[in-house]
Amino acid sequence: MRADAGGADGEPCGGGRPAAARLLRQETLLVLALSVGASALSAVISFTGSVTAPGGLQDRAATLNGSQAPGRPWLDLAWQLFGIATALVPVALVAHLLLREGAGGLRAIGLDRRRPGSDLGRGALVAAAIGGTGLLFYVAVWATGANLTVVPESLPDVWWKFPVLIASAVQNSLLEEVVVVGYLLRRLGQLGWTPAAALAASSALRGTYHLYQGVGGFVGNLVMGVVFVLLYRRWGRIGPLVAAHALIDIVAFGGYALLAGEVGWLPTPP
């Protein structure tokens, strides 16, 4: 897809607009610092701590959805909902910035209700391909000792467990795909980055903020980032990617809740 104002990569800032380009760079850095950029730095610090501590990576767990108030389910629920809601603030910020730009908000990156059936269908196909491959890759890398034991959920067995896991999956998908693919590619295109450089930046960022899981988390998500960027450029819509990511996480979170300790092939904490 060509880089125009309504496309996947945005409209380049011309050489005669240095002030506008500077503001756009500052805006992009601030959005990233408030969202996945901060997560990337946190993941690097976490991974450094894991590899420099005694013992192997397999002996450590990376918990994705854990209890925030053990033994106090209503307080725990409040904290879970608070975390999900605040994590979506950068998505609202991106929508606001795209509206101010005159691009029509999230519609500019293809997140709207115009093609729900198509978005969900494409997302389901992508989720089936990437989810299955990703699980096999994780188990293989974990077996080599290069990855932490990923614990998708450790919530108490209460009535809100699965609704919260589903909400968490949707939140992850909205934040990552809106910011890391739709918004970032648009802004980098407007700043004159080449498609290859923008793809590398987006996929490397996705891999980095998953580094807390280990080498497998980094490599697997980097590859997923490349695939998602290519699909976004082909379809010009973020909707299918949001659907795919949400479905992958829903199956991962719910599947772990149901199968952990019941099957021998699924890694669990020692």
Side-chain angles (χ1 to χ4, degrees):
M1 178 176 291
R2 69 185 181 87
D4 58 21
D9 294 324
E11 179 180 276
C13 287
R17 291 187 288 168
R22 182 169 62 252
L23 288 174
L24 212 56
R25 281 193 296 270
Q26 292 171 352
E27 175 203 292
T28 305
L29 290 173
L30 286 171
V31 170
L32 294 179
L34 291 170
S35 56
V36 292
S39 298
L41 180 58
S42 172
V44 170
I45 296 172
S46 177
F47 180 70
T48 301
S50 295
V51 297
T52 55
L57 291 179
Q58 282 181 324
D59 300 328
R60 291 169 177 76
T63 303
L64 307 188
N65 295 282
S67 176
Q68 300 299 314
R72 307 182 67 184
W74 285 103
L75 182 62
D76 201 347
L77 175 60
W79 278 119
Q80 298 294 337
L81 296 178
F82 172 80
I84 290 168
T86 53
L88 288 173
V89 172
V91 177
L93 176 59
V94 166
H96 170 74
L97 292 170
L98 292 176
L99 278 173
R100 290 191 61 180
E101 181 187 332
L106 295 179
R107 178 185 290 262
I109 57 176
L111 185 60
D112 50 46
R113 292 175 292 180
R114 287 180 295 175
R115 306 175 192 172
S118 174
D119 289 348
L120 183 58
R122 286 173 169 177
L125 290 175
V126 174
I130 290 184
T133 304
L135 176 59
L136 293 175
F137 179 73
Y138 159 65
V139 172
V141 174
W142 179 86
T144 70
N147 216 76
L148 283 76
T149 301
V150 178
V151 180
E153 71 85 25
S154 62
L155 297 176
D157 290 323
V158 291
W159 66 268
W160 49 259
K161 176 175 181 172
F162 285 96
V164 163
L165 291 176
I166 292 171
S168 176
V170 173
Q171 172 256 299
N172 289 340
S173 63
L174 283 169
L175 176 63
E176 295 187 37
E177 306 318 323
V178 167
V179 175
V180 181
V181 180
Y183 172 78
L184 184 59
L185 290 182
R186 184 177 183 85
R187 288 296 183 252
L188 294 181
Q190 291 169 331
L191 289 169
W193 285 47
T194 66
L199 181 150
S202 176
S203 55
L205 177 59
R206 187 188 296 264
T208 302
Y209 62 72
H210 284 94
L211 188 59
Y212 69 92
Q213 299 176 8
V215 176
F218 173 81
V219 174
N221 281 279
L222 184 142
V223 173
M224 176 178 168
V226 171
V227 173
F228 272 30
V229 168
L230 294 176
L231 291 176
Y232 176 56
R233 286 176 172 163
R234 179 179 180 83
W235 294 332
R237 292 184 59 77
I238 215 71
L241 306 184
V242 171
H245 193 151
L247 289 171
I248 290 170
D249 281 4
I250 288 170
V251 172
F253 298 165
Y256 186 89
L258 296 172
L259 297 178
E262 303 295 327
V263 295
W265 54 265
L266 184 64
T268 55

